[in-house]
Amino acid sequence: MKEKQFWNQILELAQERLTRSMYDFYATPAELIKVEENVATIFLPRPEMEMVWKKQLKDIIVAAGFEVYDTEIKTQFVLTKPEEESSTYVMDSENSNHYVASQANLAIPYSETGLKEKYTFDNFIQGDGNIWAKSAALAVSEDLALTYNPLFIYGGPGLGKTHLLNAIGNEILKNIPEARVKYIPAESFINDFLEHLRLGEMEKFKKTYRSLDLLLIDDIQSLSGKKVATQEEFFNTFNALHSNQKQIVLTSDRSPKHLEGLEERLVTRFSWGLTQNITPPDFETRIAILQSKTEHLDYNFQSDTLEYLAGQFDSNVRELEGAINDITLIARVKKIKDISIDIAAEAIRARKQDVSQMLVIPIDKIQTEVGNFYGVSVKEMKGTRRVQNIVLARQVAMYLARELTDNSLPKIGKEFGGKDHTTVIHAHAKIKSLIDEDDNLRLEIEAIKKKIK
Ligand code: ADP
Ligand code: MG
């Protein structure tokens, strides 16, 4: 039958034109009612679909028309099917099951998605450390639930995890305004759950979360150590969405295998899709980030100033942003438009003074805490034995002495049994690079830092 051939042709072309999730949203639910007198009547269950059909699929209909009918076919869109005036929203075609679930729910107002508009792919600077995470995030926003599900992004603080998560949500909503998207930190998810539980409104809770097309959960590590019942609810939500082919994206400050205090079966599920790591930006990327964050400002940041800043903060983009804010504050007060290295240095000095309590930490305090942690005595740390755990403790302590105090390198060397300052430099560099690769070590050092402060 020609009509069928015509419609198949349209769908085929639409499939090439649209991403998979766009196709599911816009093409699958549409139906060809008839072709009469060179006019095709196409049923669209939702009025918003018309835009996409008119804008992106119009020439496809024309092409299919010429191919099948050998003439120009015009189109008329209808929102009700002739035989069932009263129930516009009922659909019967087999392949649209997937769609029906979400269609029964209305779009979520942007203010309730939890998303922040300012975080987009456009203003996310790509660099060596985040290119894979960014590519995966982009892939997800092009092909909801088909490429990587779940997508799990992890990395240290201030490296853009929350930014990327929001960018996915914003990108999807740009392409598919009626997609049901929710961004929520894991901690808030738990609170939301407990609150609904308390009010006896679990059905409502389930309905909210299980009707989503895209669930973005930030900082999943905060589920660690939570009650089994809480983790259970997360587990159920995860399963319900995943088995309905709905997209889930998670972030964490550590990789799935280092999520202690989390049920094994949850951790296993996190690894079903794709896991991507974000590592700190290299110098060039930091410069690019600084450029993008300062170019729209009223202040003129000289390029050596940007280089100076990029050299000061190397492991956290949030700190770079903080430095820019401090600088513009000072510049405003002083009514300066051109930001020189001197101004930047002044602002940063003030910033570092905020954390000046750190500077009075005595080195022996660091040695004691590191020693306690690794089961190594301070004496061994000051000695020269090269047993593995002693070497590690010694290097970590030197690293922390350098990071947390303003002692000179020779002074630090001296406190470690009179070692050369190059030994301190080496230890610092070694631990610093190990931290990038070794989640465990990073977490160990964070734990030790907490003890010291
Ligand atoms: P995380 O969630 O990993 O702790 P965020 O996403 O909150 O980090 O990022 C901290 C700040 O740094 C945010 O303001 C974010 O916009 C910015 N940021 C991080 N990485 C980038 C990047 N690659 N390009 C632009 N801005 C970035
Ligand atoms: Mg975050």
Side-chain angles (χ1 to χ4, degrees):
M1 224 180 96
K2 275 200 163 176
E3 276 184 15
K4 197 163 172 118
Q5 200 187 337
F6 172 63
W7 188 238
N8 284 341
Q9 184 68 19
I10 289 175
L11 291 181
E12 209 168 288
L13 293 170
Q15 218 153 7
E16 285 168 20
R17 171 75 51 94
L18 302 174
T19 66
R20 198 44 218 267
S21 38
M22 289 269 281
Y23 181 83
D24 279 350
F25 266 83
Y26 293 108
T28 315
E31 279 175 54
L32 178 66
I33 305 289
K34 60 181 180 200
V35 182
E36 251 173 38
E37 292 168 4
N38 297 337
V39 177
T41 305
I42 296 177
F43 164 69
L44 305 176
R46 288 166 296 124
E48 321 83 66
M49 292 171 63
E50 194 170 339
M51 265 265 284
V52 171
W53 277 88
K54 283 193 166 156
K55 266 170 63 184
Q56 276 164 280
L57 300 175
K58 198 166 172 221
D59 54 329
I60 284 179
I61 302 176
V62 174
F66 273 106
E67 198 154 308
V68 177
Y69 294 98
D70 209 16
T71 180
E72 181 171 352
I73 300 290
K74 294 206 158 46
T75 318
Q76 175 192 18
F77 296 105
V78 294
L79 297 170
T80 21
K81 283 201 241 176
E83 69 275 14
E84 39 169 15
E85 305 285 331
S86 58
S87 55
T88 316
Y89 283 81
V90 175
M91 286 187 301
D92 52 7
S93 67
E94 275 174 68
N95 56 359
S96 60
N97 279 347
H98 172 77
Y99 184 73
V100 171
S102 62
Q103 185 215 308
N105 300 289
L106 299 169
I108 302 174
Y110 189 81
S111 60
E112 286 168 31
T113 58
L115 292 169
K116 291 213 174 70
E117 231 166 334
K118 66 174 176 178
Y119 293 138
T120 63
F121 284 116
D122 285 345
N123 60 19
F124 188 82
I125 306 296
Q126 179 174 314
D128 278 354
N130 63 33
I131 181 165
W132 295 109
K134 184 188 172 187
S135 310
L138 264 174
V140 161
S141 33
E142 272 160 21
D143 266 343
L144 267 189
L146 285 157
T147 322
Y148 311 118
N149 201 13
L151 172 61
F152 188 105
I153 298 173
Y154 72 95
L159 296 184
K161 301 183 295 296
T162 299
H163 188 135
L164 272 184
L165 212 51
N166 277 272
I168 296 174
N170 286 325
E171 182 69 18
I172 287 286
L173 287 176
K174 196 168 87 189
N175 297 329
I176 309 172
E178 64 271 36
R180 294 177 56 81
V181 176
K182 194 162 178 74
Y183 163 90
I184 191 163
E187 189 80 48
S188 312
F189 175 89
I190 296 166
N191 293 339
D192 204 18
F193 162 65
L194 294 174
E195 182 67 8
H196 280 83
L197 194 64
R198 192 174 66 80
L199 297 171
E201 291 184 340
M202 274 311 292
E203 280 314 307
K204 194 170 149 214
F205 178 86
K206 284 186 185 159
K207 193 158 174 274
T208 310
Y209 285 95
R210 296 182 193 185
S211 65
L212 296 172
D213 298 304
L214 170 63
L215 175 60
L216 306 160
I217 296 233
D218 210 355
D219 293 317
I220 196 80
Q221 76 276 358
S222 54
L223 275 182
S224 286
K226 295 286 177 198
K227 290 208 186 73
V228 173
T230 315
Q231 290 193 19
E232 175 90 17
E233 187 49 41
F234 181 75
F235 181 75
N236 292 338
T237 305
F238 183 100
N239 284 346
L241 290 173
H242 194 273
S243 64
N244 276 322
Q245 290 176 301
K246 302 301 182 178
Q247 179 74 46
I248 302 158
V249 186
L250 307 152
T251 74
S252 162
D253 68 352
R254 61 202 81 172
S255 69
K257 68 172 190 286
H258 289 115
L259 281 167
E260 285 140 23
L262 213 63
E263 283 189 71
E264 192 55 40
R265 53 186 189 154
L266 257 182
V267 175
T268 310
R269 272 167 175 68
F270 293 162
S271 320
W272 273 354
L274 179 75
T275 300
Q276 284 296 357
N277 188 6
I278 302 190
T279 55
D282 58 19
F283 187 77
E284 269 66 47
T285 312
R286 298 202 295 278
I287 295 281
I289 291 173
L290 283 166
Q291 269 162 351
S292 93
K293 306 254 172 198
T294 54
E295 66 194 2
H296 66 278
L297 298 175
D298 278 344
Y299 302 95
N300 169 32
F301 282 73
Q302 293 158 8
S303 69
D304 55 353
T305 308
L306 295 187
E307 281 171 24
Y308 166 76
L309 285 173
Q312 293 292 312
F313 301 97
D314 58 2
S315 58
N316 185 327
V317 178
R318 194 177 289 121
E319 283 180 353
L320 279 178
E321 286 183 341
I324 297 171
N325 291 339
D326 290 353
I327 291 167
T328 51
L329 189 70
I330 289 193
R332 189 172 309 134
V333 173
K334 296 196 165 183
K335 301 201 173 14
I336 298 170
K337 288 284 170 202
D338 282 318
I339 312 294
S340 63
I341 291 189
D342 286 347
I343 299 293
E346 184 184 337
I348 287 176
R349 218 174 300 126
R351 182 178 188 67
K352 289 199 167 159
Q353 261 155 26
D354 284 346
V355 280
S356 58
Q357 303 92 314
M358 297 195 322
L359 304 183
V360 297
I361 295 170
I363 293 179
D364 60 353
K365 168 94 175 138
I366 293 175
Q367 291 167 330
T368 310
E369 292 300 342
V370 173
N372 287 344
F373 195 93
Y374 291 109
V376 171
S377 73
V378 173
K379 202 171 156 209
E380 283 171 318
M381 233 178 272
K382 292 186 177 185
T384 51
R385 278 182 68 203
R386 302 211 42 88
V387 182
Q388 203 185 357
N389 69 324
I390 299 179
V391 172
L392 178 68
R394 190 180 293 138
Q395 292 183 330
V396 167
M398 285 180 177
Y399 167 84
L400 286 173
R402 180 109 210 262
E403 291 281 314
L404 302 180
T405 77
D406 64 349
N407 287 293
S408 67
L409 292 166
K411 173 85 195 317
I412 296 174
K414 192 161 161 258
E415 295 284 327
F416 281 84
K419 299 201 172 53
D420 194 70
H421 75 278
T422 54
T423 311
V424 183
I425 294 179
H426 171 75
H428 182 264
K430 173 90 183 292
I431 297 298
K432 199 165 157 71
S433 79
L434 277 178
I435 289 176
D436 284 347
E437 295 150 21
D438 185 344
D439 264 348
N440 272 335
L441 182 63
R442 182 162 59 79
L443 296 171
E444 286 166 16
I445 291 179
E446 271 165 28
I448 296 170
K449 271 191 194 168
K450 282 208 186 98
K451 290 237 165 75
I452 293 172
K453 282 179 194 164

